[in-house]
Amino acid sequence: MSILVIAEHDNSSLKQATLSVVAAAKAIGGDIDVLVAGENCGAVAEAAAKAEGVAKVLVADNAAYGHFLGENLGELVAEVGKGYSHILSSAGTTGKDFMPRVAALLDVAQVSDIIRVESEDTFVRPIYAGNAIATVKTSDSIKVVTVRPTGFDPVAAEGGSASVEQLDVVKDAGLSSFVGEQKAESDRPDLASAGIVISGGRGMQNGDNFKMLEQVADLLGAGIGASRAAVDAGFVPNDMQVGQTGKIVAPQLYIAVGISGAIQHLAGMSDSKVIVAINKDEEAPIFQVADYGLVADLFEAVPQLEEELKKVL
Amino acid sequence: MKVLVAVKRVIDYNVKVRVKPDNTGVDLANVKMAMNPFCEIAVEEAVRLKEKGIANEIVVVSIGPKACQEQIRTALALGADRGIHIEADGDVQSLDAAKLLKAVVEKEEPKLVILGKQSIDSDNNQTGQMLAALTGMGQGTFASEVVVDGEKVNVTREVDGGLMTLSLNLPAVVTTDLRLNEPRYASLPNIMKAKKKPLDTMSPADLGVEIASRLTTLKVEAPAGRSAGVKVADVAELVDKLKNEAKVI
Ligand SMILES: Cc1cc2nc3c(=O)[nH]c(=O)nc-3n(C[C@H](O)[C@H](O)[C@H](O)COP(=O)(O)OP(=O)(O)OC[C@H]3O[C@@H](n4cnc5c(N)ncnc54)[C@H](O)[C@@H]3O)c2cc1C
Ligand SMILES: Cc1cc2nc3c(=O)[nH]c(=O)nc-3n(C[C@H](O)[C@H](O)[C@H](O)COP(=O)(O)OP(=O)(O)OC[C@H]3O[C@@H](n4cnc5c(N)ncnc54)[C@H](O)[C@@H]3O)c2cc1C
C-alpha cells in the first residue's frame, strides 16, 4: 500500500493538521508520501520532510496552486494520486474543497471526515452532527479520504528525513481566479490546534464584550471560539464558529460562556477533554455535557475568572 | 439566465436522532423530515437572483424517494418555477447524486447551479464539488456572498482563517454556507400556487446513470455519551477544580 497525504499549509508553514493526517496514514499502514502544492512553498516542503514516518515529499510549486484553487488542486492531485492506494487530506476548508473533485475525477467515492481507521478500507466517521457514528467500508481501488484532525494524535514534527522531489506538473484549469481575501489576523493559537479554547455565545450580547474572553484567553494561552448565534449576530468573524458546520475542536479544556448547547454546537466540541460551562440558566443543555458547570451571570463570572486565574497562574 | 438548485430531503434539524438498536442506521420512522437547511439557503439565493432580474428561471431538482416531492413543492412555494424529481429509493451516494445532477445539467444547461455545502444527515460535503468536476465547471464552495457580473460570478467563501473571494467563469457551481442569506417562509397563497407548478419525474435509468453503491455502512452506533459533571458554587471553586482535580490549567 502507498498513501499520498496532501499537506495543508499557507505557503510558509505546515499546518499541524497535516501531522494528524500522517498519523491517520500510519494507522492505515504502508509507504507515506506527502504532496506539497503551493507557490514559493519550499519551507513547507522542508517541514514536511522532517515529519515522522514520511518517506518522500513531492513538491508542486507553481502560481497555479498559490491560492489552493479547488479546480487546479483537484486536477493535480488526481494525476499525482492515481498511482497510490489512498489519498488523504485534512477535512479543513481546503481539503473539503478540492478532495471531492479528486474523487469525482478518479470516479471513486470519498469518505469524509474520518475519526478512526479500522482497516485499510474501513473507516469510522460521525454523521448527523456526531449523534451517530458510522463504520463505512469502501470498495474503490483508490480510497479518497478526508481526516478530522482531532481524531488522530499528530506524529512528531521533527526527526524524519524524507527525500524531497520537485514535480513538474502544472494544472491550470482556467476556470477560476483569486480576487482577494480577508484573513483574521491574530497572535492567538489556531482554534483547531489550541490546547484550551474559550467560546462565547449569544449571551455575550455584542462584539466588544468578547474582550473579556480575550483577557482570560491571554492568561491561558487559549484560542477563542464562538457559537453560530454569536457569528450570525456579527459579534465575531465566521472563522471562529465552532460546531457541525464550523470548526471541530477537541482541546484539553473548552470553556463555553453564554452558550446554550444546541446539538449543532456540541457537534464541534464534545470531544474536548474537560468542558466548563458558564450560563445563567441552570436548565441550559450545555450543562448536560459539562464536567464543571457554573450557574452565574457571565458579566460577573468572567471578570472573576480572570482575577482568580491571575492568582494561580 | 437559468439557475438549477439541488435540494435534499433530510431529517429536520431540530430532531434528536436515535440510532436503531440493531445498529443498522438511525431511526427515520415517523421522524419529521424537511429540506436540508443549506438547500433552503440555496433556493433563497436563486429566488433573490430572480428578484434582481439576473435569473429568469429557477429549476429545482431532488433525488430520492417519492416523498422528496414535498421538498420540491416547498421550493416551488418559495419561488422556484419548475421541479424535477429523480426517483431513487435505495442508497444514492454523493458520486451518484453528482452523476445524476450532471445529466440534468446537460439537459437543462443552467448558467449557475446552487447546492448546499453539506447535508445535515450524512455531513459529507461532497456533491457540489463532484458535480463541478464532472461537468468541468468552476466551484465556489461555502459561499457567503454571490455576485453575478456578466459572464463571471464572484463568490466570497467562508474558509479557515477568514473569507476568500474568487471569480469563476459561468457556468459555475456554488455551494452555500450559513451566512449567505436568511431564507424566507413560504406564504399560504404561494403554497397553493406551487401545487400547480410543473414537476417532472424521471428515473436514474432515464438519465443513463446506474446507481452503484461503493460505500457500505457496516454499522451505525450511538456516540460514547458524556455525562453531566458537577456544578460548582463559584468561580474560586471552578479554578481550584481545573487546577487541582482536572489539572488542565
Ligand atoms: C444547519 C444548521 C447548522 C448549524 N451549525 C452550527 C454550528 O456549527 N455551530 C453553532 O454553534 N451553532 C450552529 N447552529 C445553530 C444552533 O442550532 C444554535 O442556534 C446556536 O448554537 C445557538 O447559539 P448560542 O448558544 O450562542 O445562543 P442561544 O441558544 O441563544 O444561547 C445563549 C445562552 O446564553 C445564556 N446567557 C444569556 N445571557 C447570559 C449571561 N448574562 N450570563 C450567562 N449566560 C447567559 C442563555 O442562558 C443561553 O443559554 C446551526 C443551526 C443549523 C440549523
Ligand atoms: C432514500 C435514500 C436513502 C439512503 N440511505 C442511505 C444509507 O442507508 N446509507 C448510506 O450510507 N447512504 C444512504 N443514502 C445516501 C446518502 O444520503 C448520500 O450520501 C447522499 O445522497 C449524498 O451525499 P450528501 O447528501 O451527504 O451530500 P452532500 O455533499 O453533503 O450534500 C450537499 C448538497 O448536495 C445536494 N444533494 C445531495 N443529495 C441530494 C439529493 N438526493 N437530491 C438533491 N440534491 C442533493 C444538496 O444541495 C445538498 O445540500 C441514502 C440516500 C437516499 C436518497
Side-chain angles (χ1 to χ4, degrees), chain B residues 215-238:
Chain B
L215 301 179
T216 317
T217 301
L218 301 180
K219 63 179 174 202
V220 175
E221 294 161 295
R226 280 190 92 98
S227 41
V230 296
K231 291 254 168 64
V232 292
D234 53 31
V235 173
E237 186 188 345
L238 174 63

Side-chain angles (χ1 to χ4, degrees), chain A residues 143-224:
Chain A
K143 288 140 189 93
V144 173
V145 179
T146 63
V147 175
R148 180 179 290 196
T150 55
F152 298 86
D153 288 332
V155 298
E158 301 284 336
S161 56
S163 60
V164 178
E165 187 181 309
Q166 301 292 327
L167 293 180
D168 188 23
V169 192
V170 180
K171 297 283 184 187
D172 190 348
L175 294 169
S176 54
S177 56
F178 174 79
V179 176
E181 63 191 343
Q182 267 173 271
K183 290 266 163 171
E185 290 301 333
S186 131
D187 301 333
R188 244 169 259 293
D190 182 34
L191 253 191
S193 52
I196 300 180
V197 171
I198 179 163
S199 291
R202 200 194 315 263
M204 296 302 295
Q205 290 180 5
N206 60 46
D208 272 351
N209 289 336
F210 268 76
K211 291 210 181 79
M212 296 193 309
L213 301 189
E214 287 170 19
Q215 279 157 358
V216 174
D218 286 342
L219 287 172
L220 292 169
I224 301 186

Side-chain angles (χ1 to χ4, degrees), chain B residues 6-8 36 38-39 61-65 88-94 97 101 114-119 121-128 217:
Chain B
V7 303
K8 188 175 176 192
N36 182 37
F38 290 97
C39 301
V61 52
S62 188
I63 305 159
D89 275 323
D91 176 5
V92 182
Q93 295 172 353
S94 307
L101 294 173
I114 314 181
L115 300 90
K117 80 163 177 180
Q118 85 192 59
S119 54
D121 50 0
S122 36
D123 283 333
N124 275 325
N125 201 324
Q126 303 177 353
T127 308
T217 301

Side-chain angles (χ1 to χ4, degrees), chain A residues 8 67 69-71 92-94 96-98 100-101 103-105 107-112 122 125-140 174-184 196 220 228 231-232 238-239 241 244-245 247 252-253 263-264 270-276 278 282 287-295 301 304-305 308-309 312-313, chain B residues 11 13-17 19 26 28 38 41 93 95 99 117-127 129-134 136-142 152 154 156-169 177-179 213-224 226-236 238-239 241-243 245-249:
Chain A
E8 183 177 324
H67 297 288
L69 298 175
E71 297 80 2
T93 50
T94 307
K96 280 180 182 159
D97 188 46
F98 75 84
R101 272 193 100 100
L105 292 174
D107 195 29
V108 299
Q110 171 179 302
V111 185
S112 295
T122 304
R125 60 180 302 263
I127 53 176
Y128 292 94
N131 286 301
I133 307 292
T135 303
V136 291
K137 181 179 161 103
T138 163
S139 59
D140 284 312
L175 294 169
S176 54
S177 56
F178 174 79
V179 176
E181 63 191 343
Q182 267 173 271
K183 290 266 163 171
I196 300 180
L220 292 169
R228 173 187 172 182
V231 176
D232 283 2
N238 64 279
D239 66 309
Q241 180 177 316
Q244 179 187 17
T245 54
K247 294 228 165 80
Q252 290 294 104
L253 172 61
I263 51 174
Q264 293 88 1
S270 57
D271 287 332
S272 305
K273 182 160 171 264
V274 174
I275 296 174
V276 168
I278 301 178
E282 65 176 316
F287 288 123
Q288 290 162 21
V289 300
D291 298 284
Y292 301 110
L294 177 63
V295 180
Q304 283 171 15
L305 180 61
E308 290 292 328
L309 286 172
V312 300
L313 292 176
Chain B
I11 198 164
Y13 78 93
N14 283 312
V15 173
K16 174 107 176 79
V17 301
V19 170
V26 303
L28 293 179
F38 290 97
I41 297 173
Q93 295 172 353
L95 184 62
K99 286 181 179 175
K117 80 163 177 180
Q118 85 192 59
S119 54
I120 59 163
D121 50 0
S122 36
D123 283 333
N124 275 325
N125 201 324
Q126 303 177 353
T127 308
Q129 298 87 314
M130 287 182 162
L131 172 65
L134 295 176
M137 289 195 246
Q139 66 191 36
T141 51
F142 330 140
K152 302 252 184 198
N154 273 14
T156 300
R157 310 175 49 228
E158 295 202 1
V159 295
D160 296 338
L163 298 169
M164 172 190 201
T165 305
L166 297 178
S167 165
L168 304 170
N169 299 345
D177 215 321
L178 292 171
R179 283 162 283 273
S213 301
R214 294 136 183 277
L215 301 179
T216 317
T217 301
L218 301 180
K219 63 179 174 202
V220 175
E221 294 161 295
R226 280 190 92 98
S227 41
V230 296
K231 291 254 168 64
V232 292
D234 53 31
V235 173
L238 174 63
V239 170
K241 292 252 197 249
L242 291 177
K243 186 155 175 78
E245 189 176 270
K247 301 194 168 59
V248 285
I249 58 171

Side-chain angles (χ1 to χ4, degrees), chain A residues 201-203 227-229 241-246 258-260 262 264-265 279-281 296-299, chain B residues 13 37-38 120 178:
Chain A
R202 200 194 315 263
S227 71
R228 173 187 172 182
Q241 180 177 316
V242 171
Q244 179 187 17
T245 54
I259 291 178
S260 62
Q264 293 88 1
H265 188 79
N279 196 304
K280 66 178 179 190
D281 172 11
D297 188 317
L298 71 92
F299 294 100
Chain B
Y13 78 93
F38 290 97
I120 59 163
L178 292 171

Side-chain angles (χ1 to χ4, degrees), chain B residues 48-213:
Chain B
R48 291 188 188 187
L49 286 171
K50 193 170 175 197
E51 286 169 347
K52 284 187 210 146
I54 296 168
N56 54 22
E57 188 183 18
I58 302 170
V59 181
V60 44
V61 52
S62 188
I63 305 159
K66 192 151 190 99
C68 295
Q69 293 190 5
E70 280 172 36
Q71 279 63 47
I72 297 179
R73 290 288 172 205
T74 306
L76 294 173
L78 292 168
D81 299 296
R82 178 153 76 74
I84 298 175
H85 173 214
I86 304 172
E87 194 161 356
D89 275 323
D91 176 5
V92 182
Q93 295 172 353
S94 307
L95 184 62
D96 286 330
K99 286 181 179 175
L100 291 165
L101 294 173
K102 175 187 184 227
V104 174
V105 165
E106 282 166 356
K107 271 175 70 158
E108 296 285 341
E109 300 186 332
K111 268 271 153 96
L112 193 63
V113 187
I114 314 181
L115 300 90
K117 80 163 177 180
Q118 85 192 59
S119 54
I120 59 163
D121 50 0
S122 36
D123 283 333
N124 275 325
N125 201 324
Q126 303 177 353
T127 308
Q129 298 87 314
M130 287 182 162
L131 172 65
L134 295 176
T135 53
M137 289 195 246
Q139 66 191 36
T141 51
F142 330 140
S144 66
E145 198 186 358
V146 175
V147 182
V148 177
D149 180 13
E151 284 304 299
K152 302 252 184 198
V153 58
N154 273 14
V155 179
T156 300
R157 310 175 49 228
E158 295 202 1
V159 295
D160 296 338
L163 298 169
M164 172 190 201
T165 305
L166 297 178
S167 165
L168 304 170
N169 299 345
L170 291 174
V173 171
V174 166
T175 76
T176 60
D177 215 321
L178 292 171
R179 283 162 283 273
L180 181 57
N181 59 49
E182 234 175 275
R184 70 194 68 190
Y185 293 98
S187 67
L188 196 56
N190 286 342
I191 293 172
M192 300 312 288
K193 268 195 254 165
K195 295 195 170 135
K196 300 203 184 70
K197 289 187 179 175
L199 197 172
D200 281 344
T201 299
M202 50 192 81
S203 70
D206 294 337
L207 294 166
V209 177
E210 205 185 319
I211 306 291
S213 301

